[in-house]
Amino acid sequence: MEISTLATYHCLAFVWYFFVAYSIAHVKTEERPSEVFLYGGQWKYLTVLNLILQAVFYGVSFLADVLRLIKKLRCAKCIISSRDLLFSVLAFPVSTFVCVSFWTLYTYNRELVYPKSLDGVIPLWLNHAMHTAVLPFALLELLALPHRYPAKKKGLILLGFVAFLYISWVLWIYSVTGEWVYPLFALFNPPGLAAFFAGSLAIIVVFYNFGEFLNRMIWGDSIVILDHKWKGK
């Protein structure tokens, strides 16, 4: 894909995610169900944090495209490395996890993740923008250009560290409010909750490996050529 086309796509994707994040952040306070928007506001939900993550990723991607267009290749190399790290370790696996886990649990029992009381607050399009569209965007990014994945150990350590931070945030909110971020967590005793978190981490690791596999299958030797190209700059 031409750099100018990539720049346009990444700019539009950034604007889209910024708009979606803005929309969910500005849900009218008086319309918010009290049992949902307590301590931590929207920022306790993985879905909302993922919107911010995607906006940052596409913003970095757009910056990399612009630097390549104006021939600032030394700066572009650094930004592209950050872009690829963001995509491989966080943007793809988290988006995939958000979409698959949300709709799986929603189908089983929506009250565990998205209470019916939210239907009158969050429009249907916004629900799908947060929980459905994130996966096609991630897959389109894979198809648009090759991404250099870090060494497996490094990638998994970074992914595990971010997962640890989010789990710590969830537990902190419970310690302060006595309420779980998701009603689902109240179904488990401590060992069961630990097993659930471990299982969720295992699933997101699978999605990390799946993204790496797709990237390699789609682009193959293009990734190696790209590495040599940037090392020569």
Side-chain angles (χ1 to χ4, degrees):
M1 188 179 291
E2 293 292 329
I3 298 177
S4 57
T5 305
L6 277 175
T8 302
Y9 160 63
H10 286 143
C11 181
L12 291 174
F14 168 75
V15 171
W16 166 252
Y17 275 112
F18 183 87
F19 170 70
V20 174
Y22 178 87
S23 298
I24 191 64
H26 287 78
V27 172
K28 293 181 180 179
T29 305
E30 63 271 15
E31 294 179 353
R32 297 176 181 179
S34 58
E35 74 276 11
V36 174
F37 294 99
L38 290 169
Y39 185 88
Q42 298 98 323
W43 313 112
K44 61 188 174 183
Y45 297 109
L46 184 60
T47 295
V48 178
L49 295 176
N50 181 53
L51 295 177
I52 303 303
L53 167 64
Q54 300 305 318
V56 170
F57 165 70
Y58 283 107
V60 170
S61 297
F62 177 61
L63 176 59
D65 297 335
V66 170
L67 290 173
R68 291 175 67 191
L69 282 171
I70 62 177
K71 307 301 182 182
K72 298 291 186 180
L73 299 182
R74 188 177 298 274
C75 294
K77 181 180 178 181
C78 178
I79 299 301
I80 287 172
S81 296
S82 300
R83 178 201 70 189
D84 287 345
L85 189 65
L86 267 175
F87 179 77
S88 60
V89 175
L90 295 176
F92 182 84
V94 173
S95 287
T96 307
F97 180 80
V98 165
C99 181
V100 173
S101 62
F102 175 82
W103 288 112
T104 299
L105 292 169
Y106 185 98
T107 301
Y108 173 71
N109 181 356
R110 66 169 297 176
E111 294 298 319
L112 297 177
V113 289
Y114 194 82
K116 195 171 179 61
S117 57
L118 287 176
D119 286 347
V121 179
I122 300 176
L124 183 62
W125 73 266
L126 187 52
N127 181 20
H128 283 292
M130 294 188 297
H131 298 115
T132 308
V134 291
L135 181 54
F137 266 102
L139 293 173
L140 182 58
E141 179 66 21
L142 266 178
L143 294 171
L145 74 163
H147 294 274
R148 289 173 293 171
Y149 272 66
K152 181 79 72 176
K153 183 178 180 180
K154 177 182 177 182
L156 293 180
I157 287 175
L158 288 173
L159 179 60
F161 178 70
V162 173
F164 171 78
L165 289 179
Y166 180 68
I167 291 171
S168 298
W169 173 229
V170 167
L171 295 176
W172 172 259
I173 291 172
Y174 178 74
S175 71
V176 171
T177 67
E179 299 286 341
W180 288 109
V181 171
Y182 296 102
L184 169 69
F185 297 159
L187 300 178
F188 299 103
N189 57 23
L193 189 61
F196 178 82
F197 285 147
S200 297
L201 179 58
I203 291 172
I204 204 168
V205 167
V206 169
F207 292 147
Y208 172 91
N209 288 322
F210 181 60
E212 185 177 30
F213 170 77
L214 287 180
N215 188 58
R216 179 65 62 176
M217 287 292 293
I218 294 169
W219 295 103
D221 292 338
S222 298
I223 303 169
V224 177
I225 294 172
L226 189 65
D227 282 335
H228 287 312
K229 177 181 177 181
W230 285 111
K231 285 176 182 177
K233 296 296 182 182

